[in-house]
């Protein structure tokens, strides 16, 4: 199975096994403030561990940097722009998730020497998977996403009304400014 499909399957598996069972089912002790205005849930932490284990099992030898792990060990960001690195945002939109609202999703990016190679985003409520690969374009649910000359995605009236159209490289936001140039 190709890497694209392996990571896609991993995202769906973790969403089904970890994230969705917690949606609208979190107890107060399942939600913590990691710093003022930023919360983390049991689902964030468990999803990141499962995603990390799954990416490690792919055998690429890449470093794995997750948003929640960085909270506990900021040194994980040292030399983030060097070598092959998996970046994980296990639950983007945690505040929405904790309130039982959409949108939220799971994101993974693969970066080499600071250059994004591929990105995956899964909206588990709609089972919508978006994927982009350097030099090969982007797809959402297997349908090619086109861009305008400005680089902005074209959206139909239907997609403009739908939620969660975001940049596939968003998972790279943990990296220091300039690391992904």
């Amino acid at each position: 199975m190709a890497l694209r499909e392996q990571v896609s399957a991993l995202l769906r598996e973790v969403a089904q096994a970890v994230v969705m069972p917690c949606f609208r089912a979190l107890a107060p002790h399942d939600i913590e403030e990691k710093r003022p205005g930023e919360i983390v849930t049991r689902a964030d932490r468990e999803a990141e561990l499962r995603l990390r284990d799954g990416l490690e099992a792919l055998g690429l030898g890449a470093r794995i940097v997750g948003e929640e792990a960085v909270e506990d060990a900021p040194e994980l960001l040292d030399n983030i722009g060097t070598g092959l690195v998996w970046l994980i945002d296990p639950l983007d939109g945690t505040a929405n998730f904790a309130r039982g609202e959409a949108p939220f999703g799971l994101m993974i990016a693969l970066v080499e020497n600071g250059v994004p190679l591929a990105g995956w985003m899964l909206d588990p409520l709609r089972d919508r998977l978006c994927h982009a690969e350097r030099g090969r374009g982007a797809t959402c649910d297997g349908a090619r996403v086109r861009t305008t000359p400005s680089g902005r995605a074209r959206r139909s009236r239907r997609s403009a009304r739908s939620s969660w159209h975001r940049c596939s490289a968003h998972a790279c936001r943990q990296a220091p400014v300039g690391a992904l140039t």
Side-chain angles (χ1 to χ4, degrees):
M1 185 183 317
L3 183 64
R4 174 184 180 155
E5 285 77 27
Q6 290 175 306
V7 176
S8 298
L10 174 63
L11 281 167
R12 284 193 164 106
E13 174 189 315
V14 172
Q16 182 180 12
V18 176
V19 176
M20 293 311 294
C22 293
F23 186 55
R24 296 184 177 147
L26 292 171
H29 67 271
D30 291 329
I31 305 168
E32 299 173 22
E33 189 173 60
K34 57 184 176 182
R35 63 180 171 276
E38 285 284 321
I39 62 169
V40 62
T41 69
R42 177 173 56 93
D44 290 89
R45 289 194 170 117
E46 291 177 16
E48 183 168 304
L49 291 174
R50 293 276 296 269
L51 290 168
R52 184 199 66 208
D53 291 347
L55 293 172
E56 194 170 83
L58 295 176
L60 294 183
R63 286 178 45 208
I64 301 173
V65 179
E67 179 179 11
E68 306 316 326
V70 167
E71 282 297 315
D72 296 330
E75 65 275 8
L76 289 171
L77 292 176
D78 293 349
N79 301 312
I80 192 78
T82 303
L84 195 59
V85 181
W86 287 110
L87 299 173
I88 303 171
D89 187 342
L91 189 52
D92 188 59
T94 298
N96 289 345
F97 180 83
R99 286 191 303 268
E101 300 172 0
F104 60 88
L106 295 78
M107 294 192 227
I108 294 175
L110 181 60
V111 178
E112 186 170 33
N113 296 322
V115 177
L117 300 179
W120 292 258
M121 297 186 316
L122 176 67
D123 174 348
L125 288 174
R126 292 178 177 78
D127 192 35
R128 181 179 180 140
L129 180 72
C130 298
H131 173 264
E133 191 172 339
R134 179 169 292 287
R136 295 188 172 215
T139 61
C140 285
D141 294 332
R144 195 147 185 77
V145 176
R146 295 183 185 197
T147 60
T148 64
S150 70
R152 291 194 173 122
R154 291 185 205 188
R155 296 192 272 177
S156 67
R157 286 182 186 209
R158 180 176 174 264
S159 67
R161 288 191 307 261
S162 66
S163 65
W164 211 53
H165 279 272
R166 299 181 69 175
C167 172
S168 65
H170 179 73
C172 299
R173 69 186 168 93
Q174 302 104 300
V177 174
L180 301 177
T181 56

